[in-house]
Amino acid sequence: MNLAKKLRTYDNAVELKYFVEDLKLNLSKDKRKSVKSVLEEESNGMKDLFLDLLNESNISISDSSAVTDFLGDIINKINNFERVNLVVAVDPDEDLIKTVADWIQDKVDKSIILKIDVDPDILGGIKVTYKGKYLDLSLNNKLNGIFKSKDILKI
Amino acid sequence: MKSAYSKDNFDNLLNKFGEVGRVVAVSKSVIQVDGLPTIFPGEILMFENGGLGQVLSVGREKVDVLRYSGQEIPVDLKVARTGAGLEVPVGDGLMGKSIDSLGGSLFKNEPVGQFEEYRSIETTPPGIEERVKIKRPLETGVSVVDLMMPLGMGQRELIIGDRKTGKTSFLLQTILNQAKKGTVCIYAAIGKKKTDILQVEKFLKDNDIRDKTIIVGASSTSPFGVIYAAPYSAMSVAEYFKDRGEDVLIILDDISIHARFYREISLLAKNFPGRNSYPGDIFYTHARLVERAGNFKYKGEDDQKKSISITCLPVAETKEGDISGYIQTNLMSMTDGHIFFDGDLFDEGRRPSVNYSLSVTRVGRQTQSKVRSGISRELSNFLSLYQKTQSFVHFGAELSSGSRATLKMGDKLIDFFNQDSSEILHLNLQIMLFCLIWVGLWNNEAVEDARVEWSKIIKAYKSNEKVRKEFAKYVSEASEFNALLGRVSSEANQILDVINSALEENVTTDRSKQKPIKKQQVVGKSTKEDNK
């Protein structure tokens, strides 16, 4: 199961984490309740993704102890994701996020997720932050460099 | 403050170093940051909101950052490197200014201006080959110190005592005297109340020496980092003027407060606590600072100058007069002596309340002329005898005439050492006045009456050039103390004539009636003889 590939963004990861933590809490509150009945009460959008993950891992929904272990496993995985922060000028669509996330995931060994912020001030391009390294490939930065080097503003 | 530290420069710093950090935890003064893979200890960091911090320690994942700004630092805030340690602006423009540890204005209403040169607040102290023996005396203008515990230019003398015992008054007198002699004076206020710093500034302004002094400091409300860095910044400013060939006097007021703040920072950074919860490197923290002062070889073009000095007077506060505290004894072992301000003496009305028997000067005596060292020796011997005699009085013993004479002379000398906090006495005046007392000129007078006469002499000395010249002649022509004493004894009336004529001149200018000093018969050369 490649959880990072399924989630791709930090927002999705946080949403799944909260969903899993809620589920864990509800299960621990009333131990007589089955996983299925607890899930039925949930209306979160992550429910389908969670059921897919259970299927992929060949865990039966009726096996409460296996599901509980699996919940802990998911939280651990999410906590260990490495974050790549991206700042872009426009809100990216799902396809773009998928392309970028898959491309980055192919280049690094660890599971990564993207934290995407939108800042129209950068005009275009991208700002990347990963493991404390910072790369400004924005159009704004490029133009500033050109203005500075050619003294265009003084003319 | 350095323009590179402005908030607008944040993006430039990110681009320049290609590294970014993120605040992960915040305590009062220590902030944990992750990221920044190639950061080094001591480097200044800038937060996205313009706040500043300095790297305290570097871990595998996170770094501990000492906060320098008062802004709120939320978790997840971006952090940029600056690539440099903390630097303070230096230059002539600092004269008369009050700056904080970062070079910004201490009082926000006073702009500091722009500076071209910046110096790191941490430098390696000069080695032994760059230092020379302390040979030049440093006058404080306070008679009990100048005559009994002389200081030298480049000496590091600890000023120690309970709170409110007159330490700062003494330091201000020393600044006043030294600033008038052309020494660059730097007052480092470490964690002091703002009102106290303003009082120091007022004293400097009232005495017309503000433009010769610099206040580097951090008030008690400043961020801990700013307080911690204050003495180091002040020392860097001192080093700038020293390197330019000017003698510098630096006051570190006070180091025990600095130690307390450093203890708090270290505990917040989860460093292992040692004795009294101070961190293990507390000695090094202060020793590397004090070691930067001293007397150094002069490398400039002035042939007259042989050495150039940074005289350092660190201050330490004691509790209940206990000078054996951890920080206090640390400081004693890294300085060239200490002057102890005694709370009991202060309560007895002694000003300054210097306890000469518990004070030490290790290098000051080697700077003294023969006359001064003679006076110092004579005074030490006599005052110890005076103290012993005083203890007999407590038993109600009937005293011999010799003992009574000792007590009388002792009382007079103690009163002679009493000095107003804004008054400074020139060394020649101190010597001559002491000699006049010592030869017994006022032996038959009460202390109060003698005090009136001394005031007249002080007034005459300060207002009349002739008196100053006459006193200087006596002191410079004497080969040693006894020779001077003999001459003063035989020529006491001529000396009083000069003073009286000066006072008469003053009457014509001042229009105030001034009675002449009564001519007295010199009773004896020294009361010590009587006691035998």
Side-chain angles (χ1 to χ4, degrees), chain A:
Chain A
M1 173 188 71
N2 193 338
L3 186 59
K5 269 206 163 183
K6 284 194 182 297
L7 292 171
R8 290 203 181 90
T9 66
Y10 176 77
D11 292 344
N12 288 342
V14 170
E15 203 178 340
L16 180 66
K17 191 178 166 188
Y18 287 159
F19 172 78
V20 170
E21 279 173 348
D22 275 355
L23 200 60
K24 230 177 146 185
L25 190 70
N26 290 337
L27 285 171
S28 64
K29 268 185 197 165
D30 190 350
K31 297 215 166 143
R32 288 168 299 178
K33 271 190 178 175
S34 67
V35 178
K36 199 176 174 186
S37 63
V38 173
L39 271 176
E40 271 167 9
E41 289 166 18
E42 288 285 348
S43 58
N44 194 301
M46 282 290 148
K47 193 163 90 179
D48 295 338
L49 177 64
F50 177 69
L51 289 171
D52 280 353
L53 293 171
L54 274 179
N55 274 339
E56 269 183 40
S57 307
N58 295 324
I59 296 170
S60 164
I61 199 161
S62 54
D63 184 352
S64 292
S65 70
V67 172
T68 313
D69 290 347
F70 183 67
L71 293 175
D73 195 30
I74 288 178
I75 292 172
N76 277 341
K77 276 186 178 163
I78 291 173
N79 286 343
N80 289 326
F81 283 159
E82 282 196 346
R83 225 162 82 173
V84 178
N85 286 22
L86 303 178
V87 181
V88 287
V90 288
D91 213 352
D93 58 20
E94 284 296 319
D95 286 343
L96 182 60
I97 292 172
K98 184 178 178 301
T99 312
V100 174
D102 290 349
W103 185 82
I104 298 174
Q105 187 63 78
D106 287 345
K107 309 286 171 203
V108 293
D109 296 337
K110 296 195 172 173
S111 300
I112 58 106
I113 48 163
L114 305 179
K115 184 169 189 302
I116 300 170
D117 292 315
V118 178
D119 180 7
D121 289 349
I122 70 166
L123 302 177
I126 195 166
K127 284 182 181 178
V128 188
T129 306
Y130 176 59
K131 279 184 146 183
K133 290 279 180 194
Y134 175 84
L135 196 58
D136 189 348
L137 302 171
S138 68
L139 182 59
N140 181 36
N141 187 39
K142 190 86 181 162
L143 290 174
N144 277 341
I146 293 169
F147 288 146
K148 252 187 209 166
S149 63
K150 300 208 170 165
D151 266 356
I152 287 174
L153 289 179
K154 282 185 186 170
I155 299 164

Side-chain angles (χ1 to χ4, degrees), chain B residues 88-90 94-107 121 184-192 197 200-201 204 210 213-219 222 226-238 241 249-254:
Chain B
V88 65
V90 286
L94 284 179
M95 287 294 193
K97 295 273 163 58
S98 300
I99 60 164
D100 66 17
S101 320
L102 311 176
S105 172
L106 186 59
F107 306 111
I121 68 159
V184 175
C185 298
I186 299 168
Y187 180 82
I190 308 162
K192 290 262 161 196
I197 303 174
V200 170
E201 196 174 39
L204 301 176
R210 186 67 187 97
T213 52
I214 302 164
I215 296 177
V216 182
S219 73
S222 304
V226 177
I227 297 173
Y228 167 73
Y232 300 98
S233 294
M235 194 58 87
S236 288
V237 174
F241 287 102
L249 169 71
I250 180 169
I251 313 277
L252 305 172
D253 194 3
D254 83 41

Side-chain angles (χ1 to χ4, degrees), chain B residues 318-466:
Chain B
T318 55
K319 293 264 184 292
E320 303 280 324
D322 177 19
I323 56 171
S324 61
Y326 179 34
I327 299 301
Q328 290 78 3
T329 47
N330 272 0
L331 288 165
M332 278 177 196
S333 62
M334 61 184 83
T335 48
D336 308 313
H338 58 269
I339 298 174
F340 177 48
F341 284 75
D342 196 327
D344 294 337
L345 295 182
F346 189 85
D347 294 341
E348 281 172 22
R350 298 262 285 272
R351 303 287 186 276
S353 58
V354 172
N355 185 327
Y356 39 80
S357 51
L358 285 178
S359 301
V360 178
T361 176
R362 293 199 182 96
V363 291
R365 295 201 195 282
Q366 71 200 28
T367 67
Q368 284 183 308
S369 64
K370 279 188 174 174
V371 172
R372 279 183 72 196
S373 62
I375 292 174
S376 180
R377 204 170 36 246
E378 200 82 9
L379 263 173
S380 304
N381 292 339
F382 175 77
L383 289 173
S384 93
L385 177 71
Y386 170 66
Q387 277 179 340
K388 276 182 203 163
T389 315
Q390 265 189 325
S391 61
F392 283 126
V393 179
H394 295 304
F395 294 119
E398 199 171 309
L399 296 171
S400 66
S401 61
S403 297
R404 281 201 297 273
T406 302
L407 286 175
K408 266 189 175 178
M409 176 57 82
D411 290 344
K412 284 208 180 75
L413 286 177
I414 295 300
D415 199 65
F416 161 64
F417 285 145
N418 270 344
Q419 209 170 311
D420 192 77
S421 62
S422 60
E423 185 179 59
I424 52 167
L425 300 181
H426 191 271
L427 195 57
N428 287 344
L429 174 63
Q430 291 176 24
I431 293 172
M432 287 301 287
L433 206 46
F434 168 73
C435 286
L436 288 169
I437 297 168
W438 197 238
V439 296
L441 202 62
W442 292 286
N443 270 8
N444 295 327
E445 288 201 31
V447 176
E448 296 76 29
D449 298 333
R451 160 65 59 188
V452 175
E453 308 278 270
W454 303 338
S455 312
K456 287 177 192 169
I457 295 176
I458 293 168
K459 194 172 179 187
Y461 184 88
K462 286 187 175 170
S463 59
N464 197 292
E465 180 66 26
K466 216 189 286 173

Side-chain angles (χ1 to χ4, degrees), chain B residues 171-236:
Chain B
L171 293 168
L172 290 176
Q173 280 170 295
T174 310
I175 289 180
L176 178 58
N177 200 26
Q178 283 302 309
K180 284 187 173 170
K181 287 177 187 296
T183 306
V184 175
C185 298
I186 299 168
Y187 180 82
I190 308 162
K192 290 262 161 196
K193 281 190 278 185
K194 254 188 185 159
T195 48
D196 289 345
I197 303 174
L198 282 167
Q199 264 175 3
V200 170
E201 196 174 39
K202 185 175 179 299
F203 176 90
L204 301 176
K205 274 182 187 160
D206 290 350
N207 287 285
D208 293 329
I209 52 164
R210 186 67 187 97
D211 56 343
K212 290 164 193 151
T213 52
I214 302 164
I215 296 177
V216 182
S219 73
S220 49
T221 53
S222 304
F224 287 8
V226 177
I227 297 173
Y228 167 73
Y232 300 98
S233 294
M235 194 58 87
S236 288

